[in-house]
Amino acid sequence: MSESAFPRDPEAPGPTEPPRPPVYTPGSLQPRLNRPLHERYPQIRPTSGYGDPRIRHTGPGPGAGTEQEPDRSSKLTARLVLALSVVVGQLWGLTIVVDEWMSGDTGTAWWGAGFLVLSFLVVLGLWLLDPKDR
C-alpha cells in the first residue's frame, strides 16, 4: 500500500530537502560563519535600538507600577472581601444544610436553604452595586 495511485515519473527530479542553516560555533572553520555581526545580520543597523533618534524614553514611563486610582482600588478590595466572606458563609451553610437533610430534619434544612438563597442575593447585590467597574 505504499505505492501511490499515480506512478512517479522516472525522469522527474527527486524530492530535495530544504537547506539547513549552518551551526555556528565561535572560531568556526567555515569563514562565512566568522563574519562580523553586521555582515551576518544585515537587518540589524546601528540605529536599531538605543541609537535610534526616534526613541526618546525607554520603559513604561513615570508612575508605572503605582496605583493610579486608590479610591477605586480600596472600593474593589472591600467588595471582594465582602463577597469572599459571603462565599465562605455559603459553604458553611451548605455543609449544615446537607448534614440536617441527611439526618432527616427537613425543616432546618429548608431554613438553611433560605439562608443560602439570601446570601446569593447579597452577592448579586454587591455585583450590581457599581456596574461601571465591570
Side-chain angles (χ1 to χ4, degrees):
M1 278 288 159
S2 63
E3 296 285 328
S4 69
F6 302 103
R8 189 165 106 53
D9 184 11
E11 295 179 7
T16 59
E17 291 185 21
R20 293 184 178 165
V23 178
Y24 173 71
T25 56
S28 179
L29 295 175
Q30 298 177 19
R32 65 188 179 86
L33 295 177
N34 291 325
R35 295 177 297 168
L37 187 68
H38 66 275
E39 288 181 18
R40 281 187 284 151
Y41 301 103
Q43 68 272 20
I44 299 176
R45 296 180 181 86
T47 58
S48 297
Y50 69 92
D52 195 338
R54 295 171 294 178
I55 298 176
R56 298 278 184 237
H57 304 285
T58 60
T66 60
E67 183 58 53
Q68 302 296 321
E69 297 180 55
D71 295 338
R72 180 175 178 265
S73 175
S74 62
K75 185 169 50 170
L76 290 176
T77 302
R79 278 197 293 173
L80 181 65
V81 167
L82 283 173
L84 288 176
S85 63
V86 169
V87 167
V88 168
Q90 283 179 331
L91 291 174
W92 171 76
L94 184 62
T95 304
I96 299 299
V97 166
V98 169
D99 188 39
E100 292 297 320
W101 184 270
M102 296 302 261
S103 67
D105 190 5
T106 56
T108 307
W110 283 112
W111 279 106
F115 167 76
L116 293 176
V117 169
L118 181 66
S119 63
F120 173 76
L121 292 175
V122 168
V123 172
L124 188 63
L126 288 172
W127 182 71
L128 292 173
L129 194 63
D130 200 4
K132 70 178 176 134
D133 278 339
R134 280 183 252 130

